[in-house]
Amino acid sequence: MKIKVLIVGLLMAVGVGASADDGIASLRYDSYFLQALVQREKGNADAAFDLLQHCIKINPQAAEAYYFLAQYYQALRGDSTNLKTAQQYILKAAELEPDNATFLETVAQSYIRQAEYEKAIPVMERLYNQDKSREELLEMLFELYQQTDNNDKAIETLNRLEAAEGKSERLSYAKSEIYTNMGNKKAAIAEMRQLAQQYPNDLNFKGMYADMLLRNDEEEQALKLYNEILAEEPDNTRAQVSLRSYYRVQGEIEKADSLTEVILLNKNTTNEQRIYLMRQMVADSERADGDSTQILNMFHKMLAGPQKNADIATLCAAYMDLKKMPRDSVRAMLQTVLSIAPDNAAARLQLVSFAWDRKDHQEVITLCQDARQYNPEEMAFYYYQGMAYYQEEDKDKALEAFQNGIGVITPESNPAIVSDFYAVMGDLLHQKGLARKAFEAYDSCLQWKDDNIMCLNNYAYYLSELDEQLDKAEQMSYKTIKAEPKNATYLDTYAWILFMQGRYAESKVYIDQALQNDSDSSAVITEHAGDIYIQNKEPERAVELWKQALLLDPQNKILIRKIKQRKYIKRK
């Protein structure tokens, strides 16, 4: 029933069989066309395409068949021949049914897609003449006349729009712009004067009139109008901004600067205008190697009043950072940002970074906890909070923070951050004696970033401790020493895995490299070296290394036994 209703609607729209003779050919055509529409509705494009081609063989005058075929050729794209055929077919459809608005509009759009604007114009004009209630067609015609540099027709089209809509700022300004570009200053000024006269109580239009005078070299009259506006409305931002621009162009910098402060402190100035002016001030100051205190004073004056948003405070913090001001000062401004917009994640992250750099883990925790209320989807806060708890040796809360952070991971999340999430979780779980869950976390880590070196090293080492999956451990560990061939920890891990595999001679090569690069004289590395040397049948060197390790770890009872018994003793 649903398909039948759709087909009936389509038939009514395109007039199937309306001009065809009653007869067998007409019936055959209608049958094939109905089948084509059914296949089209089902999404069977190939079948519909073939049926429509058969339709135009039966009836070469069937406009609707050409129309639908044109859509299929258009969809093929890629091949210029297909696009050309699509255009020929839609032109044929419009030729066969010249009053069909759907066909005409498709023809116009086809010309526009091919940048054939001259050809699109008469089609659009015809469409508008068919239905003058469609003012959007006049908008399109205006654009087309501009594309073809036909200024006279563009003006004429704007006049037609004005007749339909009434005089407006948008249309008058567009006409003035065109007149100015044509060099017709008199007409450009007259257009804006008419708008201002039609709405004498709207100072905005008077300001636009003054702007157009200024653009067309009527400076004296323009300045007179600006002063009239400001006499009537001292806080008129438009007039102030226009005057400031004029003074800057004329090189009257003092006058321009005095107006800058007036505009910035004007209650009517938009936030966008303030940001624009402050960026301009900063750029001017940087070029002239100016005094940053003047810029900062201006920021503070603006921030002394009520703020609609945190843009000014954010820009101020960025400027302070640019000028390398003391971090305490930048921090204070960032806190101002948060007092205005507590959901400003960028400002809070910068504060977190500052706190992390000075090792103030409690502030990091507090900032991140607050952030989770305002920015619950931002993973970085969970990461920093977890790391801060980790540094404070509160492993349970650290693990909780990381686990909460995993809940906000999406396919679009930063792979490096997600990978680190799982890597640290794995370390924490292992420290809590949950080896299997730790390994699951490490696997997840490597799915997001298969070259996470710290994860590869820890995962490999913990597997070797359990004497499990040593081949997998060896492959992971090998990646770490390829990435950092002088890292003593990674060299030790690789040597130890080789040792666990019984590859003692190879193990000795890598443990020697680990000892050479072990600037901190690690007790673990030194003990491992002793274990490897004893298995390589060098007991004197092994005992010497064990004794060195015992000096670094005097409570190690297994080391004492190894030295006494002069043999390797496996830890349980």
Side-chain angles (χ1 to χ4, degrees), residues 195 210 242 417 459:
L195 181 67
S242 296
I417 295 178
Y459 195 0

Side-chain angles (χ1 to χ4, degrees), residues 116-131:
E116 296 180 279
Y117 304 123
E118 292 282 5
K119 291 181 179 179
I121 288 171
V123 182
M124 281 292 182
E125 289 284 11
R126 185 171 181 176
L127 274 168
Y128 180 67
N129 287 330
Q130 284 183 357
D131 184 359

Side-chain angles (χ1 to χ4, degrees), residues 549-566:
L550 188 61
L551 290 173
L552 298 168
D553 185 11
Q555 304 302 316
N556 190 326
K557 294 180 181 180
I558 293 205
L559 263 175
I560 296 170
R561 289 172 58 199
K562 287 177 182 178
I563 294 167
K564 284 183 179 180
Q565 298 177 29
R566 294 172 69 86

Side-chain angles (χ1 to χ4, degrees), residues 356 361-362 365 384-399 402 428 431-432:
W356 185 265
H361 301 134
Q362 285 302 322
I365 290 167
Y384 275 111
Q385 187 178 36
M387 291 302 295
Y389 276 127
Y390 187 70
Q391 293 297 320
E392 292 293 297
E393 299 185 356
D394 191 337
K395 295 175 184 176
D396 289 336
K397 287 187 178 179
L399 186 58
F402 282 112
L428 286 165
Q431 290 169 27
K432 291 172 70 65

Side-chain angles (χ1 to χ4, degrees), residues 503-514:
R503 298 159 64 182
Y504 301 129
E506 293 176 77
S507 178
K508 182 182 170 185
V509 172
Y510 288 100
I511 201 64
D512 283 344
Q513 292 180 42

Side-chain angles (χ1 to χ4, degrees), residues 268-281:
N268 296 326
T269 303
T270 66
N271 205 59
E272 291 73 20
Q273 288 173 320
R274 287 192 177 93
I275 294 294
Y276 173 78
L277 288 178
M278 284 308 301
R279 285 178 173 159
Q280 196 175 69
M281 280 184 66

